[in-house]
Amino acid sequence: MSDDKKLPLNRRAFLQEAAAVSVGTAATIQAGSSTCLAADSQFAKRSLAYASIGTGIRGKGLVKDASNFASCKAICDVDEAHRLEAEQSLAEHCKSKERPPMTPELLSDYRQVLSREDIDFVTIGTPDHWHTKIAIEAMKAGKDVYCEKPLTLTIEEGQQILKTLEATNRVFQVGTQQRSSRLFQKAVALQRAGRVGKAKRVTCALGGAPSSGPLPTCEPPVGFDWNQWLGPAPPATYRQDNSPKSGGYGSQFPRGRGHAHFRWWYEYSGGKLTDWGAHHVDIAMWALDKSDGGIGRFTLDPLLIEHPVDFAEGMPVQDDRFNTATRFHVRVTFSDGVELDLRHHANEDLGFGNGIMFQGDKGRFFVNREKLTGKPVEELESNPLPAELFASIHPALAKGNFWQMSNFIDCVRTRETPISDVASHHRHLTVCHAANIALRLDRKLVYDPAVERFVDDDQANSFLRREPRQGFEILG
């Protein structure tokens, strides 16, 4: 869909004549320096209602974020502990903002959410392998969707979501929050403005995934529905290591299958290539203006690959430990000669860690969540970027700083396309998925975006989709 395409209004949302859900819900709600609601006054005072599906670490944050703009009607998770923690977190958030408390219903089955007529949109913070099924069924049920990244587990899933989005005309925001950061927006504008000359190479340093020893089998925690957590994924025995926890993201959970550590199993995620690639590759492709299917064929060359388990025909042999790539370097070469390097780390020869380096024939610059540096950045003081350039990249950028969730709510009200749209996310994440397939097969591949298939490689194409477990097919 184009950025300015208008979609049909959500009839239920705008016919409800309810009181504002909190002191902070009005014609404008401030989040830091950003304006959070659209200026259209006829809708600004209408209340919205939502449900949060999947309320672990990131999902719990979405519960709070959405509560700044709408009333939380339901919290849904297959883990009772997560439901209760999210409920408590929401209560504390409302209290800290001096807002009336919300009383969401606590549910374990997301289908109970989708059948409700009083819910306008859902946030999805489940593990990656559940995103597509829930998102498609939510759209078919008439709900707008905010879904965490990476949106999909396979390339075919992105095609399925796009098809449903077109058929249902819902508003869909992907949780690639870096698009709402002015640092990254400036980086995109610098590249688009040719401030480094002709693009030659972009390097995305994504970080390496952790490894584990053998993880013992055990019973899932009380109140945790392991079968439902697995959902579309293949049957697997629950495993958990009760050794002392290490630092880092998700360290509050013991290493194992499930919860934060699902990222390190190909059954449920794509490791760092999709976990961080969904962020940095998205920005790189956005900056290079390679968001559509007309970019031509590109090659994927695995220059370095280390997995913590043995692989046979692209599949992990051991099933008792983490299996995503711990160290990697894949070089993606586009039809115009521009190279995109996807690496676990770039300190060895480029001198930087997690982040993105843009290199052209006239210079280079670096960006991550803390800084934007390089000569082209220094030259902005005397040669600023034209304001209209940002609007040409995406209309929302004309507003300057804003918050990802606020942009979503703006679009729920105006029916415009959000800053992190599904179409471009699918194109960008396809590069990550294809790179993972090259790593798993340990050979050079050629991918054709026009037909969304690998060229002359049936085995690689067999990884474009995964058969869902019986009983967990997409409904509707």
Side-chain angles (χ1 to χ4, degrees), residues 259-280:
H259 292 332
H261 302 293
F262 73 86
R263 292 167 174 81
W264 320 130
W265 304 82
Y266 279 128
E267 293 91 324
Y268 322 119
S269 185
K272 279 297 180 71
L273 264 169
T274 57
D275 187 50
W276 267 98
H279 285 305
H280 287 348

Side-chain angles (χ1 to χ4, degrees), residues 148-407:
E148 263 307 303
K149 62 81 206 167
L151 181 57
T152 57
L153 189 65
T154 67
I155 291 173
E156 185 191 66
E157 287 185 352
Q159 299 165 353
Q160 291 174 308
I161 291 177
L162 276 170
K163 182 179 179 180
T164 305
L165 183 63
E166 183 177 1
T168 61
N169 286 331
R170 306 317 309 163
V171 170
F172 199 127
Q173 176 86 292
V174 184
T176 45
Q177 294 89 350
Q178 286 183 171
R179 286 205 177 196
S180 294
S181 161
R182 204 56 170 175
L183 280 177
F184 289 100
Q185 292 166 5
K186 285 183 178 180
V188 171
L190 280 168
Q191 179 64 47
R192 294 276 190 100
R195 296 298 174 91
V196 294
K198 183 180 179 181
K200 298 184 73 66
R201 177 179 295 168
V202 180
T203 302
C204 296
L206 310 176
S211 60
S212 74
L215 300 167
T217 61
C218 60
E219 289 297 316
V222 175
F224 180 31
D225 189 336
W226 173 239
N227 182 65
Q228 191 69 11
W229 187 94
L230 284 172
T237 304
Y238 184 78
R239 294 179 179 274
Q240 180 175 301
D241 185 350
N242 291 315
S243 61
K245 301 170 188 175
S246 58
Y249 187 83
S251 61
Q252 63 268 54
F253 298 106
R255 293 180 303 173
R257 287 187 183 268
H259 292 332
H261 302 293
F262 73 86
R263 292 167 174 81
W264 320 130
W265 304 82
Y266 279 128
E267 293 91 324
Y268 322 119
S269 185
K272 279 297 180 71
L273 264 169
T274 57
D275 187 50
W276 267 98
H279 285 305
H280 287 348
V281 175
D282 176 63
I283 296 298
M285 295 282 285
W286 200 26
L288 293 170
D289 201 12
K290 295 183 180 298
S291 298
D292 60 33
I295 62 175
R297 295 177 176 182
F298 55 85
T299 62
L300 305 111
D301 193 0
L303 304 176
L304 169 69
I305 172 61
E306 290 184 9
H307 279 113
V309 298
D310 297 325
F311 272 69
E313 303 296 324
M315 300 300 291
V317 174
Q318 295 100 323
D319 67 352
D320 62 350
R321 65 200 73 192
F322 298 163
N323 58 34
T324 60
T326 53
R327 299 177 76 244
F328 55 87
H329 182 185
V330 182
R331 176 158 293 165
V332 183
T333 304
F334 295 102
S335 57
D336 59 2
V338 175
E339 295 175 341
L340 175 64
D341 275 10
L342 311 181
R343 304 176 61 159
H344 71 282
H345 212 267
N347 257 345
E348 298 93 335
D349 52 4
L350 293 177
F352 64 89
N354 184 289
I356 313 170
M357 177 73 80
F358 292 88
Q359 296 173 271
D361 60 4
K362 295 182 180 179
R364 67 182 191 175
F365 67 89
F366 174 80
V367 65
N368 64 16
R369 293 185 178 184
E370 284 76 45
K371 60 187 177 182
L372 176 62
T373 61
K375 188 176 180 181
V377 182
E378 297 167 3
E379 292 173 344
L380 287 176
E381 186 173 348
S382 59
N383 185 20
L385 293 164
E388 58 268 22
L389 175 60
F390 290 93
S392 71
I393 295 169
H394 192 285
L397 301 194
K399 299 180 182 180
N401 244 4
F402 56 84
W403 186 16
Q404 189 88 352
M405 185 63 74
S406 73
N407 173 250

